[in-house]
Amino acid sequence: MRVLTEVCESDRMLTRQAAVRIPGRIGKALTAVESAAQKTKLWCAAAGTMAVFGGRRGRLAAVSGLSAVVVAQVICSGLCKQLTDRPRPPEEWFPHDEVEDRPDSSSFPSGHTAAAAAFAAAVVPAWPPAGTLCAVPAAMVAVERVWSGAHYPTDVVAGAAIGLASAGLVRYAPRLVRRSLIG
């Protein structure tokens, strides 16, 4: 129980520090990337670009990335957010107006971070340079979710873990199905 209390206290402290220590111009850049990522627009655009210009490898990366995003969204929004009811961080902790534009759903876990991590992690094995490039905006989305007041750091960590697990599931599920069918 003591560990949980300490984690919650660290969560609150890190959230408050992110709100005031990240400079406004950096916060605006984070918000621009997060806005592009809303409703998976950024990941769909990246997948389209990979599919058109990346040949067979690009198409595989695009399909893997988008499949992982779907799995992550089902786990986050379809399951986890339905089972938890964690309130968002208090608005008074945030000295900027980004806090006004946040969802009403449960704070835990971060669906934006799950989708971002899932896409980048699923692209890496198929096309490492593209996956590495996708990791940059994915990390920016994760930081923005805390800076904007939409999530606590543990929400973002849980979202990232769901994203990574989703990418792994997309990568290894076909092999597991094949093994179970063959014997």
Side-chain angles (χ1 to χ4, degrees):
M1 193 66 169
R2 182 173 172 226
V3 171
L4 183 59
T5 302
E6 289 177 14
V7 168
C8 289
E9 185 54 41
S10 294
D11 225 11
R12 288 189 287 273
M13 181 191 67
L14 290 170
T15 303
R16 293 176 118 173
Q17 286 181 0
V20 297
R21 291 196 177 187
I22 294 176
R25 65 184 176 281
I26 292 174
K28 295 297 181 187
L30 295 172
T31 298
V33 171
E34 189 277 330
S35 293
Q38 281 184 2
K39 301 188 189 301
T40 69
K41 294 179 296 213
L42 179 60
W43 315 123
C44 289
T49 302
M50 285 185 262
V52 170
F53 298 109
R56 183 177 184 280
R57 179 176 265 190
R59 289 188 296 277
L60 177 60
V63 168
S64 297
L66 291 178
S67 298
V69 168
V70 169
V71 172
Q73 291 294 354
V74 167
I75 293 170
C76 267
S77 298
L79 181 64
C80 294
K81 284 188 181 280
Q82 304 305 316
L83 297 174
T84 61
D85 190 26
R86 184 178 195 186
R88 304 280 171 171
E91 287 185 26
E92 57 270 8
W93 290 0
F94 302 90
H96 49 74
D97 60 356
E98 294 298 322
V99 73
E100 297 168 6
D101 185 31
R102 58 189 193 166
D104 294 329
S105 62
S106 175
S107 180
F108 185 87
S110 170
H112 286 81
T113 303
F119 188 83
V123 169
V124 165
W127 196 5
T132 302
L133 285 174
C134 291
V136 173
M140 292 175 75
V141 166
V143 172
E144 190 279 342
R145 300 314 287 160
V146 176
W147 175 79
S148 68
H151 292 284
Y152 291 99
T154 52
D155 302 336
V156 169
V157 169
I162 289 168
L164 294 173
S166 298
L169 184 62
V170 165
R171 181 176 170 122
Y172 294 110
R175 293 178 194 165
L176 295 173
V177 170
R178 226 181 358 252
R179 281 187 197 155
S180 69
L181 294 175
I182 293 172

